[in-house]
Amino acid sequence: SAVISQKPSRDICQRGTSLTIQCQVDSQVTMMFWYRQQPGQSLTLIATANQGSEATYESGFVIDKFPISRPNLTFSTLTVSNMSPEDSSIYLCSVALGTGGNYGYTFGSGTRLTVV
Amino acid sequence: SQQGEEDPQALSIQEGENATMNCSYKTSINNLQWYRQNSGRGLVHLILIRSNEREKHSGRLRVTLDTSKKSSSLLITASRAADTASYFCATGPTGTASKLTFGTGTRLQVTL
């Protein structure tokens, strides 16, 4: 199964600034997923990042606010732009454990973001 | 929006007891998965059950799936303090197996 290194693990940021979160996978994967987990809540999918194409965003999330890069099959970044306190959340990246359907997913350790 | 609703929202038991968590979902699924999250960290995949399966075991974990009722349960037997965590069900939809939708989660506290 894949191992994901995610950083930073936490950050405290001023409103109006941006933070870029990185995920490095130890194997090549086609799709990477970015989730947001607001305090005390469940996970909500932000977007799916494919190498070589634009990320696919879920309803309620836009590229201007959450730009994503996917320069190769092992790496992706998510930027949280022009932050406000409402962006305070845990952000997680994820990849599938296998291929062909009916597989679990592995997650990065998460980035705990606090916007002040 | 959340696909799954889990109950209870919080569960507190003593070490050695069994813990049961339930998950309900709304649409057709390809599979249902359970994850554990410790202290707001990353999620750990526990077990996956396919839509054509009714029960699955992995160590102290037992998962059931009732597609007619659109529900699943996770049973942790002989719980330990280290099982203290939040548990989430997640469904993989038919047709697009890549996208998971998570339930609301159950916070489990196991005390000595």
Side-chain angles (χ1 to χ4, degrees), chain A residues 31 33 35 37 42-45 58 90 92 102-105 107-109 112, chain B residues 2 30-31 33 35 37 39-40 42-43 45 48 50 88 97-100 102-103:
Chain A
M31 287 186 287
F33 305 90
Y35 289 87
Q37 185 179 26
S42 186
L43 281 75
T44 301
L45 182 65
E58 297 299 305
I90 298 172
L92 301 110
N102 281 312
Y103 37 71
Y105 290 75
F107 284 77
S109 55
R112 185 183 293 272
Chain B
Q2 302 307 126
N30 188 43
N31 60 67
Q33 308 177 27
Y35 290 82
Q37 184 180 38
S39 301
L43 275 70
H45 179 254
L48 179 152
R50 295 179 174 83
F88 295 91
S98 58
K99 197 157 68 172
L100 288 180
F102 282 83

PDB file of all heavy atoms in Angstrom, chain A residues 31 33 35 37 42-45 58 90 92 102-105 107-109 112, chain B residues 2 30-31 33 35 37 39-40 42-43 45 48 50 88 97-100 102-103:
ATOM      1  N   MET A  31      -4.840   9.083  -9.485  1.00  0.00           N
ATOM      2  CA  MET A  31      -5.677  10.138  -8.899  1.00  0.00           C
ATOM      3  C   MET A  31      -5.288  10.386  -7.449  1.00  0.00           C
ATOM      4  O   MET A  31      -5.000   9.449  -6.695  1.00  0.00           O
ATOM      5  CB  MET A  31      -7.150   9.738  -8.990  1.00  0.00           C
ATOM      6  CG  MET A  31      -7.702   9.816 -10.406  1.00  0.00           C
ATOM      7  SD  MET A  31      -9.483   9.520 -10.469  1.00  0.00           S
ATOM      8  CE  MET A  31      -9.515   7.757 -10.159  1.00  0.00           C
ATOM      9  N   PHE A  33      -6.773  12.736  -4.076  1.00  0.00           N
ATOM     10  CA  PHE A  33      -7.983  13.386  -3.605  1.00  0.00           C
ATOM     11  C   PHE A  33      -7.644  14.323  -2.454  1.00  0.00           C
ATOM     12  O   PHE A  33      -6.835  13.992  -1.584  1.00  0.00           O
ATOM     13  CB  PHE A  33      -8.997  12.335  -3.132  1.00  0.00           C
ATOM     14  CG  PHE A  33      -9.317  11.304  -4.174  1.00  0.00           C
ATOM     15  CD1 PHE A  33      -8.577  10.134  -4.254  1.00  0.00           C
ATOM     16  CD2 PHE A  33     -10.335  11.504  -5.083  1.00  0.00           C
ATOM     17  CE1 PHE A  33      -8.857   9.181  -5.220  1.00  0.00           C
ATOM     18  CE2 PHE A  33     -10.628  10.564  -6.054  1.00  0.00           C
ATOM     19  CZ  PHE A  33      -9.886   9.395  -6.127  1.00  0.00           C
ATOM     20  N   TYR A  35      -9.345  16.497   0.709  1.00  0.00           N
ATOM     21  CA  TYR A  35     -10.517  16.600   1.567  1.00  0.00           C
ATOM     22  C   TYR A  35     -10.343  17.742   2.560  1.00  0.00           C
ATOM     23  O   TYR A  35      -9.224  18.085   2.950  1.00  0.00           O
ATOM     24  CB  TYR A  35     -10.730  15.308   2.363  1.00  0.00           C
ATOM     25  CG  TYR A  35     -11.205  14.128   1.553  1.00  0.00           C
ATOM     26  CD1 TYR A  35     -10.299  13.297   0.915  1.00  0.00           C
ATOM     27  CD2 TYR A  35     -12.563  13.838   1.454  1.00  0.00           C
ATOM     28  CE1 TYR A  35     -10.733  12.207   0.179  1.00  0.00           C
ATOM     29  CE2 TYR A  35     -13.012  12.739   0.736  1.00  0.00           C
ATOM     30  CZ  TYR A  35     -12.086  11.929   0.097  1.00  0.00           C
ATOM     31  OH  TYR A  35     -12.518  10.844  -0.629  1.00  0.00           O
ATOM     32  N   GLN A  37     -11.828  18.794   6.463  1.00  0.00           N
ATOM     33  CA  GLN A  37     -12.570  18.347   7.638  1.00  0.00           C
ATOM     34  C   GLN A  37     -12.682  19.522   8.594  1.00  0.00           C
ATOM     35  O   GLN A  37     -11.726  19.887   9.282  1.00  0.00           O
ATOM     36  CB  GLN A  37     -11.871  17.165   8.316  1.00  0.00           C
ATOM     37  CG  GLN A  37     -12.666  16.582   9.473  1.00  0.00           C
ATOM     38  CD  GLN A  37     -11.977  15.397  10.103  1.00  0.00           C
ATOM     39  OE1 GLN A  37     -10.756  15.253  10.048  1.00  0.00           O
ATOM     40  NE2 GLN A  37     -12.746  14.509  10.721  1.00  0.00           N
ATOM     41  N   SER A  42     -17.266  15.719   9.579  1.00  0.00           N
ATOM     42  CA  SER A  42     -16.736  14.642   8.755  1.00  0.00           C
ATOM     43  C   SER A  42     -15.918  15.217   7.599  1.00  0.00           C
ATOM     44  O   SER A  42     -15.693  16.425   7.519  1.00  0.00           O
ATOM     45  CB  SER A  42     -17.895  13.802   8.223  1.00  0.00           C
ATOM     46  OG  SER A  42     -17.414  12.686   7.539  1.00  0.00           O
ATOM     47  N   LEU A  43     -15.478  14.351   6.721  1.00  0.00           N
ATOM     48  CA  LEU A  43     -14.650  14.772   5.590  1.00  0.00           C
ATOM     49  C   LEU A  43     -15.524  15.130   4.401  1.00  0.00           C
ATOM     50  O   LEU A  43     -16.487  14.424   4.080  1.00  0.00           O
ATOM     51  CB  LEU A  43     -13.698  13.648   5.174  1.00  0.00           C
ATOM     52  CG  LEU A  43     -12.449  13.453   6.022  1.00  0.00           C
ATOM     53  CD1 LEU A  43     -12.773  12.785   7.333  1.00  0.00           C
ATOM     54  CD2 LEU A  43     -11.413  12.651   5.256  1.00  0.00           C
ATOM     55  N   THR A  44     -15.133  16.198   3.725  1.00  0.00           N
ATOM     56  CA  THR A  44     -15.805  16.627   2.508  1.00  0.00           C
ATOM     57  C   THR A  44     -14.773  16.698   1.394  1.00  0.00           C
ATOM     58  O   THR A  44     -13.720  17.321   1.563  1.00  0.00           O
ATOM     59  CB  THR A  44     -16.456  18.010   2.690  1.00  0.00           C
ATOM     60  OG1 THR A  44     -17.405  17.943   3.760  1.00  0.00           O
ATOM     61  CG2 THR A  44     -17.160  18.446   1.421  1.00  0.00           C
ATOM     62  N   LEU A  45     -15.070  16.078   0.282  1.00  0.00           N
ATOM     63  CA  LEU A  45     -14.145  16.082  -0.846  1.00  0.00           C
ATOM     64  C   LEU A  45     -14.109  17.463  -1.482  1.00  0.00           C
ATOM     65  O   LEU A  45     -15.157  18.021  -1.828  1.00  0.00           O
ATOM     66  CB  LEU A  45     -14.568  15.038  -1.884  1.00  0.00           C
ATOM     67  CG  LEU A  45     -13.679  14.879  -3.105  1.00  0.00           C
ATOM     68  CD1 LEU A  45     -12.301  14.355  -2.701  1.00  0.00           C
ATOM     69  CD2 LEU A  45     -14.321  13.943  -4.121  1.00  0.00           C
ATOM     70  N   GLU A  58     -15.471  19.686  -6.544  1.00  0.00           N
ATOM     71  CA  GLU A  58     -16.814  19.338  -6.090  1.00  0.00           C
ATOM     72  C   GLU A  58     -17.632  20.616  -5.930  1.00  0.00           C
ATOM     73  O   GLU A  58     -17.097  21.737  -5.857  1.00  0.00           O
ATOM     74  CB  GLU A  58     -16.748  18.591  -4.766  1.00  0.00           C
ATOM     75  CG  GLU A  58     -16.016  17.271  -4.855  1.00  0.00           C
ATOM     76  CD  GLU A  58     -16.693  16.302  -5.820  1.00  0.00           C
ATOM     77  OE1 GLU A  58     -17.897  16.028  -5.650  1.00  0.00           O
ATOM     78  OE2 GLU A  58     -16.007  15.813  -6.746  1.00  0.00           O
ATOM     79  N   ILE A  90      -8.964  20.805   9.071  1.00  0.00           N
ATOM     80  CA  ILE A  90      -7.914  19.853   8.734  1.00  0.00           C
ATOM     81  C   ILE A  90      -8.056  19.529   7.254  1.00  0.00           C
ATOM     82  O   ILE A  90      -9.154  19.242   6.782  1.00  0.00           O
ATOM     83  CB  ILE A  90      -8.028  18.571   9.579  1.00  0.00           C
ATOM     84  CG1 ILE A  90      -7.860  18.892  11.064  1.00  0.00           C
ATOM     85  CG2 ILE A  90      -6.980  17.538   9.140  1.00  0.00           C
ATOM     86  CD1 ILE A  90      -8.158  17.724  11.978  1.00  0.00           C
ATOM     87  N   LEU A  92      -6.734  17.057   4.170  1.00  0.00           N
ATOM     88  CA  LEU A  92      -6.119  15.743   3.984  1.00  0.00           C
ATOM     89  C   LEU A  92      -6.060  15.383   2.506  1.00  0.00           C
ATOM     90  O   LEU A  92      -6.999  15.647   1.758  1.00  0.00           O
ATOM     91  CB  LEU A  92      -6.903  14.658   4.713  1.00  0.00           C
ATOM     92  CG  LEU A  92      -7.071  14.816   6.229  1.00  0.00           C
ATOM     93  CD1 LEU A  92      -8.509  15.139   6.565  1.00  0.00           C
ATOM     94  CD2 LEU A  92      -6.647  13.571   6.954  1.00  0.00           C
ATOM     95  N   ASN A 102     -13.285  -1.371  -5.762  1.00  0.00           N
ATOM     96  CA  ASN A 102     -13.367  -2.105  -4.509  1.00  0.00           C
ATOM     97  C   ASN A 102     -12.042  -2.119  -3.758  1.00  0.00           C
ATOM     98  O   ASN A 102     -11.522  -3.172  -3.368  1.00  0.00           O
ATOM     99  CB  ASN A 102     -13.856  -3.540  -4.728  1.00  0.00           C
ATOM    100  CG  ASN A 102     -15.359  -3.600  -4.912  1.00  0.00           C
ATOM    101  OD1 ASN A 102     -16.110  -3.013  -4.137  1.00  0.00           O
ATOM    102  ND2 ASN A 102     -15.797  -4.283  -5.943  1.00  0.00           N
ATOM    103  N   TYR A 103     -11.487  -0.933  -3.564  1.00  0.00           N
ATOM    104  CA  TYR A 103     -10.248  -0.799  -2.826  1.00  0.00           C
ATOM    105  C   TYR A 103     -10.408   0.280  -1.773  1.00  0.00           C
ATOM    106  O   TYR A 103     -11.223   1.185  -1.891  1.00  0.00           O
ATOM    107  CB  TYR A 103      -9.096  -0.436  -3.752  1.00  0.00           C
ATOM    108  CG  TYR A 103      -9.483   0.517  -4.866  1.00  0.00           C
ATOM    109  CD1 TYR A 103      -9.769   1.856  -4.620  1.00  0.00           C
ATOM    110  CD2 TYR A 103      -9.559   0.064  -6.188  1.00  0.00           C
ATOM    111  CE1 TYR A 103     -10.128   2.710  -5.630  1.00  0.00           C
ATOM    112  CE2 TYR A 103      -9.922   0.922  -7.211  1.00  0.00           C
ATOM    113  CZ  TYR A 103     -10.201   2.247  -6.926  1.00  0.00           C
ATOM    114  OH  TYR A 103     -10.562   3.101  -7.928  1.00  0.00           O
ATOM    115  N   GLY A 104      -9.637   0.175  -0.726  1.00  0.00           N
ATOM    116  CA  GLY A 104      -9.594   1.217   0.285  1.00  0.00           C
ATOM    117  C   GLY A 104      -8.657   2.321  -0.134  1.00  0.00           C
ATOM    118  O   GLY A 104      -8.036   2.282  -1.191  1.00  0.00           O
ATOM    119  N   TYR A 105      -8.564   3.333   0.737  1.00  0.00           N
ATOM    120  CA  TYR A 105      -7.730   4.486   0.447  1.00  0.00           C
ATOM    121  C   TYR A 105      -6.781   4.719   1.606  1.00  0.00           C
ATOM    122  O   TYR A 105      -7.087   4.414   2.755  1.00  0.00           O
ATOM    123  CB  TYR A 105      -8.603   5.726   0.253  1.00  0.00           C
ATOM    124  CG  TYR A 105      -9.414   5.674  -1.019  1.00  0.00           C
ATOM    125  CD1 TYR A 105     -10.532   4.871  -1.113  1.00  0.00           C
ATOM    126  CD2 TYR A 105      -9.028   6.405  -2.131  1.00  0.00           C
ATOM    127  CE1 TYR A 105     -11.267   4.789  -2.281  1.00  0.00           C
ATOM    128  CE2 TYR A 105      -9.751   6.342  -3.312  1.00  0.00           C
ATOM    129  CZ  TYR A 105     -10.875   5.533  -3.382  1.00  0.00           C
ATOM    130  OH  TYR A 105     -11.584   5.459  -4.536  1.00  0.00           O
ATOM    131  N   PHE A 107      -4.487   7.760   3.562  1.00  0.00           N
ATOM    132  CA  PHE A 107      -4.549   9.189   3.759  1.00  0.00           C
ATOM    133  C   PHE A 107      -3.225   9.727   4.279  1.00  0.00           C
ATOM    134  O   PHE A 107      -2.487   9.029   4.996  1.00  0.00           O
ATOM    135  CB  PHE A 107      -5.646   9.538   4.774  1.00  0.00           C
ATOM    136  CG  PHE A 107      -7.035   9.455   4.215  1.00  0.00           C
ATOM    137  CD1 PHE A 107      -7.652   8.229   4.038  1.00  0.00           C
ATOM    138  CD2 PHE A 107      -7.709  10.598   3.839  1.00  0.00           C
ATOM    139  CE1 PHE A 107      -8.930   8.142   3.506  1.00  0.00           C
ATOM    140  CE2 PHE A 107      -8.998  10.529   3.313  1.00  0.00           C
ATOM    141  CZ  PHE A 107      -9.596   9.297   3.139  1.00  0.00           C
ATOM    142  N   GLY A 108      -2.953  10.969   3.927  1.00  0.00           N
ATOM    143  CA  GLY A 108      -1.877  11.677   4.588  1.00  0.00           C
ATOM    144  C   GLY A 108      -2.258  11.952   6.035  1.00  0.00           C
ATOM    145  O   GLY A 108      -3.409  11.762   6.437  1.00  0.00           O
ATOM    146  N   SER A 109      -1.287  12.410   6.801  1.00  0.00           N
ATOM    147  CA  SER A 109      -1.514  12.615   8.235  1.00  0.00           C
ATOM    148  C   SER A 109      -2.287  13.892   8.528  1.00  0.00           C
ATOM    149  O   SER A 109      -2.622  14.160   9.678  1.00  0.00           O
ATOM    150  CB  SER A 109      -0.183  12.621   8.980  1.00  0.00           C
ATOM    151  OG  SER A 109       0.679  13.583   8.415  1.00  0.00           O
ATOM    152  N   ARG A 112      -3.414  20.634   9.933  1.00  0.00           N
ATOM    153  CA  ARG A 112      -4.359  21.367  10.783  1.00  0.00           C
ATOM    154  C   ARG A 112      -4.100  22.852  10.612  1.00  0.00           C
ATOM    155  O   ARG A 112      -3.061  23.363  11.031  1.00  0.00           O
ATOM    156  CB  ARG A 112      -4.217  20.960  12.239  1.00  0.00           C
ATOM    157  CG  ARG A 112      -5.254  21.605  13.161  1.00  0.00           C
ATOM    158  CD  ARG A 112      -5.013  21.200  14.613  1.00  0.00           C
ATOM    159  NE  ARG A 112      -5.263  19.789  14.839  1.00  0.00           N
ATOM    160  CZ  ARG A 112      -6.446  19.276  15.148  1.00  0.00           C
ATOM    161  NH1 ARG A 112      -7.495  20.069  15.271  1.00  0.00           N
ATOM    162  NH2 ARG A 112      -6.569  17.976  15.355  1.00  0.00           N
TER     163      ARG A 112
ATOM    164  N   GLN B   2     -23.350  14.961   3.073  1.00  0.00           N
ATOM    165  CA  GLN B   2     -22.952  13.665   3.577  1.00  0.00           C
ATOM    166  C   GLN B   2     -23.841  12.592   2.976  1.00  0.00           C
ATOM    167  O   GLN B   2     -25.042  12.731   2.874  1.00  0.00           O
ATOM    168  CB  GLN B   2     -23.064  13.634   5.107  1.00  0.00           C
ATOM    169  CG  GLN B   2     -22.243  14.681   5.831  1.00  0.00           C
ATOM    170  CD  GLN B   2     -20.776  14.681   5.441  1.00  0.00           C
ATOM    171  OE1 GLN B   2     -20.217  15.690   5.044  1.00  0.00           O
ATOM    172  NE2 GLN B   2     -20.161  13.519   5.516  1.00  0.00           N
ATOM    173  N   ASN B  30     -21.127   0.739  -4.448  1.00  0.00           N
ATOM    174  CA  ASN B  30     -20.258  -0.324  -4.938  1.00  0.00           C
ATOM    175  C   ASN B  30     -19.633  -1.059  -3.753  1.00  0.00           C
ATOM    176  O   ASN B  30     -19.441  -2.275  -3.812  1.00  0.00           O
ATOM    177  CB  ASN B  30     -19.174   0.295  -5.818  1.00  0.00           C
ATOM    178  CG  ASN B  30     -18.340  -0.728  -6.521  1.00  0.00           C
ATOM    179  OD1 ASN B  30     -18.862  -1.714  -7.045  1.00  0.00           O
ATOM    180  ND2 ASN B  30     -17.041  -0.531  -6.529  1.00  0.00           N
ATOM    181  N   ASN B  31     -19.302  -0.300  -2.739  1.00  0.00           N
ATOM    182  CA  ASN B  31     -18.750  -0.884  -1.532  1.00  0.00           C
ATOM    183  C   ASN B  31     -18.941   0.095  -0.379  1.00  0.00           C
ATOM    184  O   ASN B  31     -19.301   1.265  -0.589  1.00  0.00           O
ATOM    185  CB  ASN B  31     -17.258  -1.214  -1.700  1.00  0.00           C
ATOM    186  CG  ASN B  31     -16.425   0.021  -2.010  1.00  0.00           C
ATOM    187  OD1 ASN B  31     -16.290   0.900  -1.174  1.00  0.00           O
ATOM    188  ND2 ASN B  31     -15.872   0.083  -3.212  1.00  0.00           N
ATOM    189  N   GLN B  33     -16.879   1.259   3.302  1.00  0.00           N
ATOM    190  CA  GLN B  33     -15.607   1.128   3.993  1.00  0.00           C
ATOM    191  C   GLN B  33     -15.705   1.790   5.359  1.00  0.00           C
ATOM    192  O   GLN B  33     -16.490   2.716   5.558  1.00  0.00           O
ATOM    193  CB  GLN B  33     -14.508   1.808   3.164  1.00  0.00           C
ATOM    194  CG  GLN B  33     -14.481   1.341   1.717  1.00  0.00           C
ATOM    195  CD  GLN B  33     -13.465   2.050   0.873  1.00  0.00           C
ATOM    196  OE1 GLN B  33     -12.454   2.530   1.368  1.00  0.00           O
ATOM    197  NE2 GLN B  33     -13.716   2.113  -0.434  1.00  0.00           N
ATOM    198  N   TYR B  35     -13.275   3.607   8.422  1.00  0.00           N
ATOM    199  CA  TYR B  35     -11.995   4.227   8.709  1.00  0.00           C
ATOM    200  C   TYR B  35     -11.942   4.661  10.172  1.00  0.00           C
ATOM    201  O   TYR B  35     -12.968   4.954  10.785  1.00  0.00           O
ATOM    202  CB  TYR B  35     -11.768   5.461   7.825  1.00  0.00           C
ATOM    203  CG  TYR B  35     -11.527   5.141   6.369  1.00  0.00           C
ATOM    204  CD1 TYR B  35     -12.581   4.887   5.507  1.00  0.00           C
ATOM    205  CD2 TYR B  35     -10.227   5.078   5.863  1.00  0.00           C
ATOM    206  CE1 TYR B  35     -12.362   4.579   4.173  1.00  0.00           C
ATOM    207  CE2 TYR B  35      -9.994   4.774   4.526  1.00  0.00           C
ATOM    208  CZ  TYR B  35     -11.065   4.529   3.705  1.00  0.00           C
ATOM    209  OH  TYR B  35     -10.831   4.221   2.387  1.00  0.00           O
ATOM    210  N   GLN B  37      -9.941   7.458  12.816  1.00  0.00           N
ATOM    211  CA  GLN B  37      -9.159   8.679  12.881  1.00  0.00           C
ATOM    212  C   GLN B  37      -8.828   8.961  14.336  1.00  0.00           C
ATOM    213  O   GLN B  37      -9.718   9.123  15.171  1.00  0.00           O
ATOM    214  CB  GLN B  37      -9.920   9.865  12.287  1.00  0.00           C
ATOM    215  CG  GLN B  37      -9.098  11.149  12.244  1.00  0.00           C
ATOM    216  CD  GLN B  37      -9.861  12.313  11.655  1.00  0.00           C
ATOM    217  OE1 GLN B  37     -11.050  12.466  11.890  1.00  0.00           O
ATOM    218  NE2 GLN B  37      -9.185  13.151  10.873  1.00  0.00           N
ATOM    219  N   SER B  39      -7.439  11.508  17.015  1.00  0.00           N
ATOM    220  CA  SER B  39      -7.127  12.886  17.396  1.00  0.00           C
ATOM    221  C   SER B  39      -6.947  13.823  16.205  1.00  0.00           C
ATOM    222  O   SER B  39      -5.965  14.574  16.142  1.00  0.00           O
ATOM    223  CB  SER B  39      -5.864  12.911  18.262  1.00  0.00           C
ATOM    224  OG  SER B  39      -6.037  12.136  19.419  1.00  0.00           O
ATOM    225  N   GLY B  40      -7.876  13.788  15.262  1.00  0.00           N
ATOM    226  CA  GLY B  40      -7.829  14.722  14.150  1.00  0.00           C
ATOM    227  C   GLY B  40      -6.660  14.527  13.223  1.00  0.00           C
ATOM    228  O   GLY B  40      -6.281  15.452  12.510  1.00  0.00           O
ATOM    229  N   GLY B  42      -4.641  11.762  10.284  1.00  0.00           N
ATOM    230  CA  GLY B  42      -5.071  11.096   9.064  1.00  0.00           C
ATOM    231  C   GLY B  42      -5.936   9.881   9.352  1.00  0.00           C
ATOM    232  O   GLY B  42      -5.927   9.342  10.451  1.00  0.00           O
ATOM    233  N   LEU B  43      -6.683   9.472   8.345  1.00  0.00           N
ATOM    234  CA  LEU B  43      -7.561   8.316   8.494  1.00  0.00           C
ATOM    235  C   LEU B  43      -6.827   7.030   8.162  1.00  0.00           C
ATOM    236  O   LEU B  43      -5.978   6.990   7.278  1.00  0.00           O
ATOM    237  CB  LEU B  43      -8.768   8.454   7.572  1.00  0.00           C
ATOM    238  CG  LEU B  43      -9.933   9.275   8.121  1.00  0.00           C
ATOM    239  CD1 LEU B  43      -9.566  10.737   8.199  1.00  0.00           C
ATOM    240  CD2 LEU B  43     -11.176   9.062   7.279  1.00  0.00           C
ATOM    241  N   HIS B  45      -7.520   3.104   6.996  1.00  0.00           N
ATOM    242  CA  HIS B  45      -8.513   2.184   6.432  1.00  0.00           C
ATOM    243  C   HIS B  45      -8.583   0.927   7.288  1.00  0.00           C
ATOM    244  O   HIS B  45      -7.568   0.289   7.562  1.00  0.00           O
ATOM    245  CB  HIS B  45      -8.100   1.826   5.000  1.00  0.00           C
ATOM    246  CG  HIS B  45      -9.034   0.870   4.337  1.00  0.00           C
ATOM    247  ND1 HIS B  45      -8.718  -0.450   4.135  1.00  0.00           N
ATOM    248  CD2 HIS B  45     -10.273   1.037   3.830  1.00  0.00           C
ATOM    249  CE1 HIS B  45      -9.719  -1.056   3.533  1.00  0.00           C
ATOM    250  NE2 HIS B  45     -10.674  -0.165   3.330  1.00  0.00           N
ATOM    251  N   LEU B  48     -13.177  -3.098   4.195  1.00  0.00           N
ATOM    252  CA  LEU B  48     -14.051  -2.800   3.062  1.00  0.00           C
ATOM    253  C   LEU B  48     -14.987  -3.972   2.861  1.00  0.00           C
ATOM    254  O   LEU B  48     -14.551  -5.125   2.900  1.00  0.00           O
ATOM    255  CB  LEU B  48     -13.222  -2.552   1.809  1.00  0.00           C
ATOM    256  CG  LEU B  48     -13.940  -2.243   0.483  1.00  0.00           C
ATOM    257  CD1 LEU B  48     -13.038  -1.384  -0.403  1.00  0.00           C
ATOM    258  CD2 LEU B  48     -14.326  -3.512  -0.277  1.00  0.00           C
ATOM    259  N   ARG B  50     -17.947  -5.339   0.116  1.00  0.00           N
ATOM    260  CA  ARG B  50     -18.542  -5.113  -1.191  1.00  0.00           C
ATOM    261  C   ARG B  50     -20.062  -5.171  -1.106  1.00  0.00           C
ATOM    262  O   ARG B  50     -20.622  -5.769  -0.185  1.00  0.00           O
ATOM    263  CB  ARG B  50     -18.028  -6.146  -2.191  1.00  0.00           C
ATOM    264  CG  ARG B  50     -16.542  -6.038  -2.475  1.00  0.00           C
ATOM    265  CD  ARG B  50     -16.101  -7.113  -3.471  1.00  0.00           C
ATOM    266  NE  ARG B  50     -14.710  -6.953  -3.879  1.00  0.00           N
ATOM    267  CZ  ARG B  50     -13.678  -7.399  -3.191  1.00  0.00           C
ATOM    268  NH1 ARG B  50     -13.866  -8.018  -2.059  1.00  0.00           N
ATOM    269  NH2 ARG B  50     -12.452  -7.210  -3.641  1.00  0.00           N
ATOM    270  N   PHE B  88     -15.424   6.404  10.951  1.00  0.00           N
ATOM    271  CA  PHE B  88     -16.234   6.900   9.844  1.00  0.00           C
ATOM    272  C   PHE B  88     -16.543   5.776   8.875  1.00  0.00           C
ATOM    273  O   PHE B  88     -15.658   4.986   8.533  1.00  0.00           O
ATOM    274  CB  PHE B  88     -15.493   8.004   9.076  1.00  0.00           C
ATOM    275  CG  PHE B  88     -15.246   9.250   9.870  1.00  0.00           C
ATOM    276  CD1 PHE B  88     -14.074   9.400  10.599  1.00  0.00           C
ATOM    277  CD2 PHE B  88     -16.178  10.269   9.886  1.00  0.00           C
ATOM    278  CE1 PHE B  88     -13.837  10.544  11.342  1.00  0.00           C
ATOM    279  CE2 PHE B  88     -15.942  11.426  10.618  1.00  0.00           C
ATOM    280  CZ  PHE B  88     -14.776  11.560  11.342  1.00  0.00           C
ATOM    281  N   ALA B  97     -16.053   4.464  -9.040  1.00  0.00           N
ATOM    282  CA  ALA B  97     -15.556   3.848  -7.814  1.00  0.00           C
ATOM    283  C   ALA B  97     -14.512   4.683  -7.122  1.00  0.00           C
ATOM    284  O   ALA B  97     -14.098   4.371  -6.033  1.00  0.00           O
ATOM    285  CB  ALA B  97     -14.976   2.474  -8.145  1.00  0.00           C
ATOM    286  N   SER B  98     -14.075   5.777  -7.738  1.00  0.00           N
ATOM    287  CA  SER B  98     -12.967   6.504  -7.157  1.00  0.00           C
ATOM    288  C   SER B  98     -13.376   7.484  -6.074  1.00  0.00           C
ATOM    289  O   SER B  98     -12.533   7.905  -5.302  1.00  0.00           O
ATOM    290  CB  SER B  98     -12.243   7.266  -8.261  1.00  0.00           C
ATOM    291  OG  SER B  98     -13.140   8.136  -8.912  1.00  0.00           O
ATOM    292  N   LYS B  99     -14.625   7.859  -5.989  1.00  0.00           N
ATOM    293  CA  LYS B  99     -15.000   8.943  -5.099  1.00  0.00           C
ATOM    294  C   LYS B  99     -15.697   8.401  -3.862  1.00  0.00           C
ATOM    295  O   LYS B  99     -16.725   7.753  -3.949  1.00  0.00           O
ATOM    296  CB  LYS B  99     -15.923   9.903  -5.845  1.00  0.00           C
ATOM    297  CG  LYS B  99     -16.043  11.250  -5.188  1.00  0.00           C
ATOM    298  CD  LYS B  99     -16.458  12.329  -6.164  1.00  0.00           C
ATOM    299  CE  LYS B  99     -17.868  12.171  -6.673  1.00  0.00           C
ATOM    300  NZ  LYS B  99     -18.277  13.353  -7.469  1.00  0.00           N
ATOM    301  N   LEU B 100     -15.152   8.685  -2.695  1.00  0.00           N
ATOM    302  CA  LEU B 100     -15.753   8.260  -1.445  1.00  0.00           C
ATOM    303  C   LEU B 100     -16.589   9.373  -0.854  1.00  0.00           C
ATOM    304  O   LEU B 100     -16.235  10.546  -0.959  1.00  0.00           O
ATOM    305  CB  LEU B 100     -14.683   7.890  -0.426  1.00  0.00           C
ATOM    306  CG  LEU B 100     -13.901   6.602  -0.625  1.00  0.00           C
ATOM    307  CD1 LEU B 100     -12.906   6.430   0.505  1.00  0.00           C
ATOM    308  CD2 LEU B 100     -14.830   5.407  -0.713  1.00  0.00           C
ATOM    309  N   PHE B 102     -18.226  10.327   2.901  1.00  0.00           N
ATOM    310  CA  PHE B 102     -18.078   9.933   4.293  1.00  0.00           C
ATOM    311  C   PHE B 102     -19.331  10.208   5.108  1.00  0.00           C
ATOM    312  O   PHE B 102     -20.069  11.161   4.856  1.00  0.00           O
ATOM    313  CB  PHE B 102     -16.896  10.684   4.919  1.00  0.00           C
ATOM    314  CG  PHE B 102     -15.576  10.104   4.527  1.00  0.00           C
ATOM    315  CD1 PHE B 102     -14.973  10.455   3.328  1.00  0.00           C
ATOM    316  CD2 PHE B 102     -14.937   9.183   5.345  1.00  0.00           C
ATOM    317  CE1 PHE B 102     -13.758   9.900   2.951  1.00  0.00           C
ATOM    318  CE2 PHE B 102     -13.721   8.623   4.981  1.00  0.00           C
ATOM    319  CZ  PHE B 102     -13.134   8.980   3.780  1.00  0.00           C
ATOM    320  N   GLY B 103     -19.517   9.350   6.096  1.00  0.00           N
ATOM    321  CA  GLY B 103     -20.564   9.554   7.069  1.00  0.00           C
ATOM    322  C   GLY B 103     -20.142  10.561   8.121  1.00  0.00           C
ATOM    323  O   GLY B 103     -19.044  11.102   8.091  1.00  0.00           O
TER     324      GLY B 103
END
